[in-house]
Amino acid sequence: MRQIISSLAIDLPSRAKALSAVETLAIGTAGGLIFLVAHLPGGLISGAMVATGIAAIAGRPLLVPPIITQTLLLLLGISIGSVVSRDLINHVSAYPVTIGLLALATFCSTFASSVYLQRIHGWDRTSAFLAGSPGALSQITILAVERGADLPAIAVVQTLRVIILTAALPLVLALAGVTSASSPAMTMAVASPLGLAAMLVGSLAVSLLLQLIKFPASWLFGAMLAAGILHGIGWVDGGLPPWMRGVALIGIGALIGSRFARMRVKTLVGHLHAGLGSFAVAVLISAVFVVVIVLSTHVRFSDTIVAFAPGAMDAMMALALTLHIDPIFVGAHHLSRFVFVTIATPGIVHLFGRPQDDVDD
């Protein structure tokens, strides 16, 4: 009971943090609208991310408080769950194969990125491995602190990976001409007021339950699950109003861009080459697996490339929604990788890593 009450407790930000949050969302909204009006790939999420990222690097104290982050993830989850249909789960039979290949791809890209950072940039083994692990950033950060790894360097590499993928993937897919097929789910009617209320209440309840059992990304996947079930059993028809989906996409973009707010320019520049190099290694290896899947299964290229992209789960899910890509397929794979990284990384670091002090000269 205490856990439930604790989950429901709202930690209100201070006045300074509230003003920073307003500034962050205002800059994100401006950037998102500019991208949308200019018909740039990625629209709202990419524009918000680029605008807040530039402002953060310029020295603005940007942030998105936890209560707003949770609300954004809840709205994103409802938007994704609302598109559940028989058409979107036609490829369920291919999931075991592609998820197995995703686990292998994750291991190979993490190992290769780690070797690159050690051999080319002289990183210690633990820092290199943690920087190369895709997703699960909060768990990676905790492990970095516990093992005495180079946290600023890891943060730069991890954040750059998310920024580049979020900005580049829409452009790559647009140039390849594989995102033109619009999903019927994206043009769905808006749910009735009762339906909207049912999705909001159900999503909040399921998310809190998942949080109590320590389920990864509980706010996002709890909302997805609740909205998906309500649509699957026919109790709710339609999704969120377009402006709510837009708020979620802008908010996620602003959240990603604001990660640069507490990062010094000197630190960013110092680890820029390492971040770009390790990103290139990870992408090349992931690309090999994407090609194998596209050639050997009936899964669409656009679905596969976003599902295998070594980026943050919330950002990739938001991209799937805005680019008319199968969010169920993408969500299943990013959740699987999140669980794989969360379970495997601590053990691998314990066996093969070593504290930073052990390698300092």
Side-chain angles (χ1 to χ4, degrees):
M1 186 64 182
R2 290 180 179 178
Q3 286 182 309
I4 296 177
I5 294 176
S6 176
S7 299
L8 289 170
I10 298 177
D11 185 15
L12 295 176
S14 63
R15 183 175 182 274
K17 289 184 177 180
L19 291 176
S20 294
V22 170
E23 180 181 2
T24 303
L25 296 176
I27 293 173
T29 300
L33 291 177
I34 290 173
F35 268 50
L36 186 65
V37 171
H39 300 289
L40 293 174
L44 296 176
I45 182 174
S46 295
M49 181 200 66
V50 171
T52 52
I54 292 173
I57 293 174
R60 298 306 305 165
L62 305 184
L63 62 84
V64 180
I67 182 63
I68 296 180
T69 299
Q70 292 163 357
T71 302
L72 293 171
L73 292 174
L74 202 72
L75 292 177
L76 181 60
I78 292 174
S79 297
I80 295 169
S82 298
V83 307
V84 171
S85 68
R86 293 180 181 178
D87 291 337
L88 287 178
I89 58 176
N90 281 339
H91 295 143
V92 167
S93 60
Y95 284 13
V97 175
T98 53
I99 287 176
L101 289 174
L102 175 64
L104 182 59
T106 300
F107 174 80
C108 291
S109 63
T110 300
F111 177 77
S113 296
S114 175
V115 171
Y116 167 83
L117 290 171
Q118 293 177 69
R119 300 286 177 83
I120 305 300
H121 297 279
W123 285 33
D124 67 275
R125 193 160 54 197
T126 298
S127 298
F129 179 80
L130 292 175
S133 299
L137 183 58
S138 57
Q139 287 84 344
I140 296 298
T141 301
I142 293 171
L143 282 172
V145 173
E146 290 179 349
R147 302 292 295 184
D150 189 344
L151 186 56
I154 293 170
V156 170
V157 172
Q158 291 275 2
T159 303
L160 274 177
R161 182 190 300 133
V162 176
I163 294 287
I164 295 172
L165 282 173
T166 308
L169 268 181
L171 180 61
V172 170
L173 293 175
L175 291 175
V178 294
T179 59
S180 57
S182 177
S183 169
M186 298 305 156
T187 58
M188 70 169 66
V190 176
S192 66
L194 185 60
L196 289 174
M199 286 193 292
L200 290 170
V201 173
S203 297
L204 181 60
V206 175
S207 296
L208 289 173
L209 288 175
L210 292 183
Q211 191 175 48
L212 291 178
I213 62 175
K214 308 299 181 183
F215 190 85
S218 57
W219 293 100
L220 176 64
F221 281 96
M224 278 179 58
L225 181 61
I229 291 175
L230 288 173
H231 281 78
I233 61 180
W235 286 8
V236 175
D237 184 26
L240 294 177
W243 70 266
M244 279 192 177
R245 290 202 303 271
V247 166
L249 294 173
I250 287 175
I252 294 298
L255 177 64
I256 297 170
S258 67
R259 291 178 179 175
F260 281 120
R262 290 174 294 278
M263 194 175 295
R264 296 181 179 179
V265 175
K266 183 178 179 180
T267 301
L268 175 62
V269 174
H271 297 297
L272 186 61
H273 289 163
L276 293 175
S278 63
F279 170 79
V281 171
V283 167
L284 285 174
I285 292 176
S286 297
V288 172
F289 284 88
V290 168
V291 170
V292 170
I293 290 173
V294 171
L295 294 178
S296 60
T297 69
H298 297 291
V299 181
R300 292 192 309 168
F301 171 74
S302 56
D303 295 342
T304 307
I305 195 172
V306 177
F308 275 65
M313 183 162 50
D314 51 359
M316 296 302 102
M317 295 294 288
L319 276 182
L321 184 65
T322 195
L323 295 176
H324 302 162
I325 290 170
D326 184 347
I328 308 303
F329 181 83
V330 173
H333 286 72
H334 277 281
L335 175 60
S336 299
R337 182 169 61 194
F338 186 97
V339 174
F340 173 73
V341 171
T342 301
I343 294 174
T345 300
I348 295 175
V349 169
H350 177 72
L351 291 174
F352 301 106
R354 51 183 173 174
Q356 180 79 11
D357 293 341
D358 291 350
V359 294
D360 284 341
D361 294 329

